[in-house]
Amino acid sequence: MSSAPLSSPASAAATALLGEFVRAGVTDVVLSPGSRSQALALAAAQFERAGLIDLRVRVDERSAGFLALGLAVEAGRPTLLITTSGTAVAELHPAVLEAAHSGVPLIVLSGDRPDELRGIGSNQTTVQPGIFGDAAESSWDVPAPVGDPSEEQAARELADEVLTGIRGVRHVNLAFREPLSAPQLLPDIERGEWRASPAALEVLELQPRPGTVVVAGTGAGEAAEAAARALGAPLLAEVASGARFGPNLVAAYREVMTAGNFGDRVERVVVFGHPTLSREIPALIQRDGVETIVVRSPGRDDYNPGHRVARFADAVSVVEDSAALEASRGWVGRWVQTSRAILEELDDAAPGAALTDDYRERAAFALTQLEALRAPITRRSLALAVWNASWPHDRLVLGSSRLIRELDRVAPGKKIPVHSNRGLAGIDGTIATGIGVALAQQSGEGSREASGITRVLLGDLAMLHDAGSLAFGAGERRPSIQLIVGNDGGGTIFDGLEVAGTADAAVFDRVMLTPQRVDFEKLAAAYGWEYRRVETRGELDPALTPSPGQVLIEVPLPR
Ligand SMILES: Cc1ncc(C[n+]2csc(CCOP(=O)(O)OP(=O)(O)O)c2C)c(N)n1
Ligand SMILES: [Mg+2]
């Protein structure tokens, strides 16, 4: 074994760079192993040992990327990603795209070869600068440090530049020369408090008036609910909006708009977040006579169906006008009541019978209840059970599947933090995202959140797509998490498309449904996860009871 080098400009610069990120309040780091990035990785391990960062290690960069995304979403501050060169960087691309489209701050630090080794067929060397294209809001290609005394200061300045105004993905490609690392002392720093740089705000003032609705898509948050109340407007809040609660909520918004023709009477739409779950909302915005105002989200594209949006703003404020609010009462009341009536009709439980004095009625009720408990689980009952089991200190992560759409139709109002990767609605990275959310949720010891659990509701194909993310780094803290997999043997979401009725059935199944018969119990066992299989409604609620640990709950569903 050769003796260790006494010093390495790579390690000095990497340590200074990470140190400045830590000082500025970035404390979550996810890394994947590799040679070219070793200076960064070894520095990160030292910062972890010193209690200055929370480090997670994942072999698969694709998992690492989505884990970082989940951490950043929940913690509300950027996560650092460290990778080596070559295909390793490209594995981050799915998470980078999702982060770009949903406006989640991620910082990618990729190790690369220096100039003299690029473009000559060196091992594991490709064109890394610009590899993420438009998805990165800024990129740097930093030449290899050579040991100049100014380099550590330059590294600190670089970290500050990278953090300034960050809203999405920033890619810092770092060239390193041999020696790729050497023992390095940590700088004398403290873990900082993250402060996002304030954005220049364009606030639009709105007057309450009937004919207005507020739409809340993914990421809308509580501001949408507050605006709906201030405007006296019905709140059409998708299930991952974080705004599906409050007195103005119209949970059955699609049915109210279409069946009740309420949509025809809308004159003004105020959109928060990124709506993706219905066809009705973009159709409404594109209708003649509708004026739409979009409150910008951090994602890279402003929501603008048919290019029909009249105004964009960073935020809205509502003029206090009690007469106008009074005039809106009837308007919002009709929406809310119609929605409640629709949801009650969908609810198959027969309330009240248990309280009656008539023994025959009571016996009949008990029998119905028993039958309900033995009944097989439907998508609706599964999605609702997960929703009902969750509370404000819990977190819910929804995969792209029929289940999120089903839940969007029926979930009653409840103030639960929900996340879904709806930037690009991929079926990739769902487990890693959920683990990231769970880790960040449960990081503050003694907090209410730390006593909560994260539930991830996803389909079987999304589960298999990200199975590798079931693995944790050795010795890492593991969160309380339940993966609830609705297993209908393939991608049944496509059954709802027109092609399902026109294509040859066997051909359709082969290339659209893509059936699978993986043994989830063995999969869970291989990764050290607890496994529960739930087949009846009666078993469902107990299975969803929070418990520490990592649980895979498989729920077989008919196609
Ligand atoms: C990465 C990626 N590949 C493909 C798709 C297209 N896609 C959307 S839903 C879906 C099937 C999902 O199946 P499953 O997870 O089992 O959910 P289900 O609809 O059956 O409930 C696919 C392949 C996608 N959204 N993302
Ligand atoms: Mg499926």
Side-chain angles (χ1 to χ4, degrees), residues 62 66 94 379 399-405 424-430 458-465 485-495 511-514 516 557:
R62 197 168 59 161
F66 280 104
R379 279 181 192 78
S400 293
S401 119
R402 275 171 82 175
L403 293 162
I404 185 174
R405 291 174 185 275
L424 289 177
I427 60 161
D428 45 355
T430 317
L458 75 174
D460 49 303
L461 292 192
M463 169 74 219
L464 294 178
H465 204 297
V485 185
N487 187 2
D488 50 18
T492 64
I493 199 165
F494 301 127
D495 285 343
V511 299
M512 301 290 290
L513 178 75
T514 57
Q516 60 75 27
L557 293 172

Side-chain angles (χ1 to χ4, degrees), residues 74 392-395 417 440-442 444 446-453:
E74 175 61 28
H393 59 287
D394 294 329
R395 297 292 180 267
Q441 168 207 11
Q442 295 158 33
S447 71
R448 254 168 69 74
E449 269 59 28
S451 68
I453 187 168

